[in-house]
Amino acid sequence: MSETTSKYKAPALERGLDILELLSEQDEAISKKDMVAKLGRSVNELYRMLAILEARGYITTEPESGKYRLTLKMFELSNKFPPMQRLLNAAGTEMAKLSEKTQQSCHLSVLHDAEMVVIAVQDSPYKMGFCIRLSARIDVHGSGSGFAMLAFQPEDQRRAILEASETPEPVIESVLSQMDKVRQKGYFIGASPQISGVTNISYPIFNSNRQVEAVLTMPFLTLNSDSLHHQVVSFEESRLAVADAADNLIHAIGGCTPE
């Protein structure tokens, strides 16, 4: 859990947020004893907060073990935010069509706390493909999504975002030197720094204020048509398909591309 840097203190609220953040990081439900140990707080500090969070539907206890886990309430609340809801509603259909057409996976991500966070994914319908998990956090300085997001920020904001992500200064300078080229093209294409054979195709999704709301990325996986014995959609065809899907998403949320 991250420590608050605010000059204002609300101990009860902080305890509640600590619990929610802890549970969000767990693959399985955890006991009150484990929660006390991980948070470094006493049972008395957590008891009342656990009861309130459960009564409000944010957490629940497993009947047999009595261990705690998150419910889907926070996910439901986040999806009530109108701009994001419109984008997610449109993305479901567009991303499914895109993957069906190209036989490639794709994902949608947004900038949050100086990282790109994946908010929607569509796996390839083919038996092989590359995919990324929902809610994954991606380095803004080392991803197609991050480059497409940064390129359309004001220059001072680009550096501020990279510094907030604790990117080393030499890397910051390297990234910033590429931004104008990406902005001029209107999208990013580049080899994945993590996975050999994968080329990221990333297109920004602009809102009505001509700001980047999200980024649509296809981690294009190079397939061998000779060994697969069927038609493989080319890289350029796939890029154009991503461009069309991005345009459709911009239109769906009433967005406008920069002049």
Side-chain angles (χ1 to χ4, degrees):
M1 281 63 62
S2 59
E3 295 183 1
T4 179
T5 57
S6 172
K7 63 180 179 180
Y8 301 107
K9 299 297 182 182
L13 176 59
E14 289 176 3
R15 287 197 296 272
L17 294 175
D18 283 347
I19 291 170
L20 294 175
E21 290 177 1
L22 173 64
L23 291 177
S24 73
E25 297 168 354
Q26 310 305 310
D27 293 329
E28 299 178 349
I30 64 172
S31 67
K32 190 184 300 180
K33 180 179 178 181
D34 287 339
M35 203 178 298
V36 167
K38 289 178 180 292
L39 293 177
R41 296 183 179 275
S42 68
V43 173
N44 288 337
E45 285 182 296
L46 300 184
Y47 177 80
R48 194 172 293 179
M49 191 56 62
L50 287 169
I52 293 171
L53 289 173
E54 186 168 14
R56 297 290 294 268
Y58 288 93
I59 65 174
T60 187
T61 53
E62 296 185 338
E64 295 183 2
S65 66
K67 293 182 178 180
Y68 293 89
R69 61 175 175 80
L70 286 180
T71 66
L72 294 177
K73 184 165 184 177
M74 286 196 297
F75 180 76
E76 293 168 354
L77 289 176
S78 67
N79 283 336
K80 288 181 179 179
F81 185 50
M84 189 60 66
Q85 185 61 59
R86 290 197 302 273
L87 180 59
L88 289 173
N89 286 344
T93 300
E94 285 300 325
M95 292 170 65
K97 288 164 52 180
L98 176 60
S99 289
E100 185 64 36
K101 181 176 182 178
T102 62
Q103 300 293 290
Q104 301 278 346
S105 66
C106 58
H107 58 269
L108 193 70
S109 57
V110 297
L111 181 66
H112 178 69
D113 287 344
E115 292 179 300
M116 299 303 294
V117 179
V118 177
I119 61 170
V121 297
Q122 178 64 54
D123 292 343
S124 165
Y126 187 55
K127 62 184 178 182
M128 292 184 292
F130 175 82
C131 64
I132 191 167
R133 67 176 176 81
L134 187 66
S135 78
R137 291 177 175 266
I138 308 170
D139 289 337
V140 72
H141 66 268
S143 64
S145 301
F147 271 51
M149 175 63 73
L150 286 172
F152 293 91
Q153 307 297 324
E155 290 188 18
D156 59 336
Q157 285 297 313
R158 295 174 186 171
R159 173 170 285 278
I161 291 168
L162 289 166
E163 290 178 346
S165 69
E166 300 182 353
T167 303
E169 183 60 30
V171 178
I172 290 178
E173 294 301 329
S174 175
V175 172
L176 292 178
S177 70
Q178 302 174 62
M179 291 297 96
D180 287 345
K181 182 178 179 180
V182 176
R183 189 182 182 102
Q184 289 171 5
K185 289 180 69 174
Y187 57 90
F188 173 82
I189 289 178
S192 168
Q194 293 90 13
I195 309 294
S196 297
V198 171
T199 303
N200 291 320
I201 306 171
S202 298
Y203 273 78
I205 311 299
F206 298 99
N207 60 27
S208 59
N209 295 319
R210 293 185 168 85
Q211 298 171 331
V212 184
E213 188 79 20
V215 177
L216 177 63
T217 295
M218 174 181 289
F220 183 88
L221 184 64
T222 304
L223 302 175
N224 189 332
S225 59
D226 293 334
S227 61
L228 294 176
H229 305 295
H230 67 75
Q231 181 66 34
V232 172
V233 180
S234 71
F235 180 86
E236 181 60 14
E237 288 176 300
S238 296
R239 183 192 69 79
L240 292 174
V242 177
D244 287 343
D247 284 342
N248 290 340
L249 289 178
I250 292 171
H251 178 74
I253 63 173
C256 302
T257 57
E259 297 176 353

